[in-house]
Amino acid sequence: MDITLKEMVLDTERITEAAEKGFAKEDLLTFEKINPVSYRYYMPIPYKDHVDYSNKTKRFYSNYWTVVAYKANLFTNCAVTLVYMWISCLAVFSVAAIIISNQSYRIYKKRVEFERYRRETTNALAHDLKTPLSIISGYAQNLIENVHTEKRDYYANNIYENVNRMDDILKSMLELSRYEADMIQINNKVFALRDVCNDLIARYRSLCDEKNITVSVEGDGNINADPSLIERVVDNFMVNAIEHTQEGGDIKLTINPDSFEIYNSQSHIPDNMINVIWLPYKKADSSRSNTGGSGLGLSIAAKILDLYKFTYSAQNVDDGVKFSFKW
Amino acid sequence: MAYKILLVEDDAQLREIITDYFSQKGKDFYMLDTASTGYEGEDKCLQNEYDLVLLDIMLPEVNGFTICKELRKSSDVPIVFITARTNEEDKLLGYNIKRNGTRYRADY
């Protein structure tokens, strides 16, 4: 049965009992639970200047006391604190839920993208390998069937050439995997890009002469990077330019103090392909078999430039295409 | 009477292999004509009557699926795809545009 605070304070029997106990520490403050959210505090305090100490019982006692009682309701007394706490909890949980769901979504999206990328690259790689494989198979079958026996040497050479082509594709694929996995050692130093360009022009001189392509280089500039990696980038740009330049065309390399450009004439990248040519196995030419390239040259160049955080681009210009990177 | 076959294939070496084979092994039965692009193949099909068209899918400028679809508007000539593309989407697309068969590369 609920009792009022006044009744409680005037409950002499109870207070007397507490007083007889000498107001032991545990009696000074008691509380009663009225319901799960309401409590009643009850505290008899010996009256000032009327406290004595009994040597017999080793306790304080008094004939006068003050009784303080207080009824507390958690809802009314702690409402603000509770509401604040609940809102805080809600906010913390909401933020945590948003962060977790956001991260889960990003991981899921990344996985879907990775899966799509994996499927595309596998299909492209399969296609790129199947083309030389089918050529090898065809020539071999013609050899077995004794088709045009006068062309046996020619067939054998073409088989050998296509085996090398497959080998190049696989090597490029492994090289790209190494860059993607950051499994390369970088030895940076400052060097002149002009020297790299001159070496590459000398390397591809005979190939360019065969196609009657004019190659020129102008400007000079130093770059702080790994010479072998930058040579790989310029080499891939050069091979790409030679592949896509018709007979009698031009290739022009320009070195600026903080950038490099390579232009080749008689070429055009379709607008819808200009941003995807850096992806593995993407070629501007949908047939992907005319140039004989692995389809990985520009991807390898892009990966290396990404390593150095250099910006790079490809753009169609008058009667040609220009690839560039900036350090 | 020799059957007239049109081979539409952009890869010069594959074209040569098939041409060599037909020119020696089947010269009494087949007359092989070739085209290196989709548009050239389409033009030849519209100008001549062939008994069979061997069509590559990944061709420059326009792919084999599109050429097949265009040819089906005016011709019932049997078309067989020769391709390295073996995924399900391509197979279904092939059925959808009423080609007559598919021969996968490296599977001669």
Side-chain angles (χ1 to χ4, degrees):
Chain A
M1 192 183 99
D2 194 15
I3 55 172
T4 64
L5 286 177
K6 191 177 176 184
E7 284 170 339
M8 190 172 153
V9 169
L10 297 177
D11 187 349
T12 50
E13 191 181 327
R14 184 176 187 163
I15 293 168
T16 306
E17 188 186 333
E20 281 172 357
K21 286 181 180 173
F23 297 116
K25 197 177 176 186
E26 59 270 21
D27 294 324
L28 290 179
L29 178 64
T30 57
F31 68 90
E32 291 175 330
K33 184 177 173 185
I34 301 168
N35 60 48
V37 291
S38 295
Y39 290 84
R40 186 163 36 225
Y41 295 89
Y42 173 78
M43 188 165 64
I45 306 167
Y47 198 73
K48 193 182 174 188
D49 300 333
H50 287 80
V51 180
D52 289 317
Y53 184 72
S54 166
N55 284 327
K56 194 178 169 187
T57 58
K58 306 286 185 198
R59 288 187 173 192
F60 289 100
Y61 68 93
S62 174
N63 289 324
Y64 302 93
W65 57 81
T66 302
V67 178
V68 177
Y70 181 69
K71 192 176 175 184
N73 184 293
L74 284 180
F75 275 128
T76 54
N77 291 51
C78 309
V80 176
T81 313
L82 281 174
V83 168
Y84 176 75
M85 198 179 74
W86 287 337
I87 290 173
S88 302
C89 287
L90 191 68
V92 168
F93 285 131
S94 304
V95 169
I98 288 168
I99 291 170
I100 291 169
S101 60
N102 195 25
Q103 277 191 339
S104 305
Y105 177 70
R106 274 159 62 181
I107 291 168
Y108 168 77
K109 210 173 155 187
K110 225 174 184 178
R111 194 176 292 175
V112 169
E113 263 173 34
F114 176 76
E115 180 57 29
R116 185 182 56 78
Y117 169 79
R118 192 196 59 79
R119 198 191 305 174
E120 269 183 22
T121 49
T122 309
N123 284 345
L125 180 67
H127 176 266
D128 283 3
L129 288 175
K130 267 186 180 178
T131 301
L133 194 62
S134 55
I135 292 170
I136 292 167
S137 168
Y139 280 126
Q141 197 168 352
N142 280 4
L143 282 173
I144 293 165
E145 301 265 345
N146 289 319
V147 172
H148 290 285
T149 47
E150 74 281 5
K151 292 172 87 175
R152 291 183 77 88
D153 287 347
Y154 172 75
Y155 285 172
N157 278 332
N158 281 348
I159 288 174
Y160 183 64
E161 180 194 295
N162 279 284
V163 168
N164 285 339
R165 186 172 153 192
M166 289 178 76
D167 189 42
D168 285 344
I169 292 170
L170 290 171
K171 275 182 189 159
S172 299
M173 190 193 76
L174 292 173
E175 187 185 358
L176 185 66
S177 302
R178 273 206 307 279
Y179 293 135
E180 282 176 340
D182 288 340
M183 286 166 57
I184 46 160
Q185 205 175 357
I186 297 175
N187 299 310
N188 289 344
K189 68 173 190 181
V190 178
F191 63 97
L193 199 52
R194 176 84 181 216
D195 296 341
V196 173
C197 293
N198 287 338
D199 288 348
L200 286 171
I201 290 170
R203 190 184 302 170
Y204 293 111
R205 174 76 63 202
S206 58
L207 192 59
C208 292
D209 287 347
E210 263 177 42
K211 289 178 82 175
N212 202 20
I213 295 170
T214 310
V215 185
S216 63
V217 57
E218 59 184 48
D220 203 354
N222 290 336
I223 180 169
N224 182 14
D226 188 317
S228 63
L229 292 180
I230 295 302
E231 186 187 328
R232 191 80 176 104
V233 172
V234 180
D235 189 354
N236 286 359
F237 282 158
M238 187 83 182
V239 169
N240 185 64
I242 295 170
E243 278 177 357
H244 292 92
T245 305
Q246 311 292 322
E247 288 234 353
D250 301 308
I251 294 176
K252 193 192 287 181
L253 292 82
T254 310
I255 307 163
N256 299 313
D258 65 343
S259 66
F260 168 81
E261 289 174 8
I262 180 167
Y263 159 86
N264 69 280
S265 62
Q266 304 155 322
S267 179
H268 179 82
I269 304 171
D271 292 339
N272 61 337
M273 295 296 289
I274 202 118
N275 291 322
V276 298
I277 51 167
W278 304 102
L279 299 174
Y281 307 103
K282 295 284 181 187
K283 288 185 186 175
D285 175 5
S286 63
S287 74
R288 299 161 20 95
S289 58
N290 279 356
T291 62
S294 67
L296 295 173
L298 292 178
S299 303
I300 289 171
K303 284 278 174 238
I304 294 171
L305 295 171
D306 281 339
L307 281 179
Y308 282 105
K309 296 192 168 49
F310 292 167
T311 53
Y312 51 89
S313 67
Q315 58 188 113
N316 289 309
V317 290
D318 294 339
D319 186 38
V321 173
K322 189 171 77 179
F323 285 86
S324 63
F325 67 88
K326 197 172 178 181
W327 56 90
Chain B
M1 190 189 74
Y3 292 106
K4 284 181 77 178
I5 299 174
L6 174 67
L7 168 68
V8 187
E9 169 63 62
D10 63 315
D11 191 292
Q13 289 185 321
L14 278 174
R15 224 167 37 234
E16 181 190 39
I17 291 164
I18 298 169
T19 307
D20 281 359
Y21 186 84
F22 275 99
S23 69
Q24 184 157 332
K25 293 287 173 182
K27 61 184 173 186
D28 299 330
F29 313 104
Y30 308 109
M31 269 177 58
L32 189 75
D33 197 0
T34 59
S36 57
T37 68
Y39 288 129
E40 188 190 347
E42 191 183 354
D43 286 345
K44 284 194 170 179
C45 265
L46 296 175
Q47 287 161 13
N48 305 294
E49 272 199 16
Y50 292 103
D51 297 301
L52 175 69
V53 175
L54 299 172
L55 183 61
D56 186 17
I57 292 176
M58 294 183 84
L59 293 163
E61 297 170 3
V62 58
N63 68 38
F65 290 132
T66 311
I67 295 298
C68 182
K69 226 186 280 181
E70 285 302 311
L71 288 177
R72 277 286 167 266
K73 288 178 186 170
S74 58
S75 168
D76 289 331
V77 60
I79 297 172
V80 173
F81 283 137
I82 42 170
T83 182
R85 290 170 62 144
T86 54
N87 62 36
E88 290 303 313
E89 289 92 331
D90 289 327
K91 285 180 190 174
L92 290 171
L93 195 56
Y95 285 122
N96 200 30
I97 56 178
K98 298 177 183 170
R99 62 91 181 91
N100 302 79
T102 306
R103 186 82 174 143
Y104 299 110
R105 272 187 195 155
D107 189 28
Y108 288 100

